[in-house]
Amino acid sequence: MRTRDEDKVSLVKKMAIKSVVKDGFEGFSMNKLAKACEISVATLYIYYKDKDDLLISIAKEEGDAMGDAMIKNFDPTVSFEEGMRVQWQNRYAYMLENPYSISFFEQLRNSTYQSRFLDNYMQKFKLVIGQFMDSVVKRGEINPMPLEVFWSIAYAPLYALVRFDTEGHSVGGRPFKMTDKMLWQTFDLVIKALKN
């Protein structure tokens, strides 16, 4: 039995993410992936039992990496504004450093893989952020609200700005380049909207 070559595994993951981003799940195949990695299809099946196993495995690993990046230097006991600032810094840095992973997650979100992926998605992250949210609500810094409402106000503006920046244009095709001033101006408005 052949042993697992970690360099090949890393290449397979990287190329699988790029392939899904480029061609979607419908255009993704183990044969195309093997060709892109310049390995045999049989080699892929040494590492993964099938296409679903490969994609779910990558999604879980990437989700854990993203979750870890988002709680880097994050203390769930800090004030709401301070905690959110760290969250925005971490999310923004992760999105800039991992554009393919972000696009891969967007593809996942709009696919049949979503439910299988979300079951265990970022467990450690959810625990830490849950502690933070419980703390700021108990201290009266923000009112309790449904998660979807909170996320839409707290993070959607950041994701929209990053998307505009990545695409190089904003609403109506206007040229767009993100600046720190825009980032923190938006952040201040978000905090103002969420605070009591």
Side-chain angles (χ1 to χ4, degrees):
M1 183 169 174
R2 288 170 46 189
T3 58
R4 189 174 170 100
D5 180 336
E6 292 304 321
D7 290 335
K8 278 187 187 167
V9 172
S10 179
L11 175 65
V12 165
K13 290 176 191 173
K14 178 181 171 185
M15 297 308 289
I17 290 170
K18 284 187 175 185
S19 177
V20 168
V21 168
K22 181 178 176 259
D23 301 323
F25 287 106
E26 303 78 24
F28 178 84
S29 75
M30 296 295 263
N31 286 334
K32 284 182 185 177
L33 178 59
K35 187 174 181 179
C37 294
E38 299 180 355
I39 60 175
S40 75
V41 176
T43 300
L44 290 176
Y45 289 104
I46 291 171
Y47 306 136
Y48 305 98
K49 69 179 180 181
D50 58 24
K51 177 176 127 175
D52 287 350
D53 182 43
L54 166 78
L55 292 171
I56 294 300
S57 173
I58 291 171
K60 286 179 180 175
E61 288 179 31
E62 289 295 309
D64 287 343
M66 182 169 65
D68 289 345
M70 288 183 191
I71 58 174
K72 180 181 175 188
N73 301 322
F74 183 78
D75 177 356
T77 65
V78 297
S79 72
F80 177 66
E81 185 170 345
E82 188 178 344
M84 288 297 293
R85 185 172 297 278
V86 171
Q87 276 291 291
W88 270 53
Q89 288 169 333
N90 289 348
R91 286 170 189 263
Y92 184 54
Y94 185 84
M95 288 187 277
L96 292 182
E97 293 167 13
N98 301 281
Y100 280 105
S101 291
I102 297 302
S103 295
F104 178 71
F105 287 126
E106 285 298 314
Q107 292 277 353
L108 273 172
R109 210 172 293 187
N110 297 306
S111 76
T112 57
Y113 289 97
Q114 178 181 9
S115 61
R116 288 182 282 170
F117 166 64
L118 290 177
D119 289 342
N120 297 312
Y121 182 58
M122 298 193 307
Q123 291 299 318
K124 186 174 22 169
F125 169 79
K126 289 177 185 175
L127 178 67
V128 171
I129 294 303
Q131 291 169 349
F132 171 66
M133 294 306 295
D134 287 345
S135 177
V136 298
V137 168
K138 281 179 187 169
R139 290 193 306 256
E141 292 183 70
I142 65 169
N143 291 322
M145 66 188 79
L147 173 64
E148 297 79 8
V149 171
F150 175 78
W151 194 95
S152 296
I153 297 167
Y155 302 118
L158 172 61
Y159 284 77
L161 287 172
V162 170
R163 182 174 290 128
F164 291 155
D165 188 59
T166 301
E167 293 172 356
H169 59 272
S170 68
V171 179
R174 291 177 33 167
F176 183 84
K177 181 69 182 144
M178 176 77 125
T179 65
D180 283 348
K181 181 179 179 182
M182 285 180 205
L183 176 73
W184 297 116
Q185 178 184 20
T186 306
F187 173 81
D188 289 341
L189 291 168
V190 164
I191 296 301
K192 185 176 179 179
L194 287 167
K195 276 187 162 181
N196 290 334

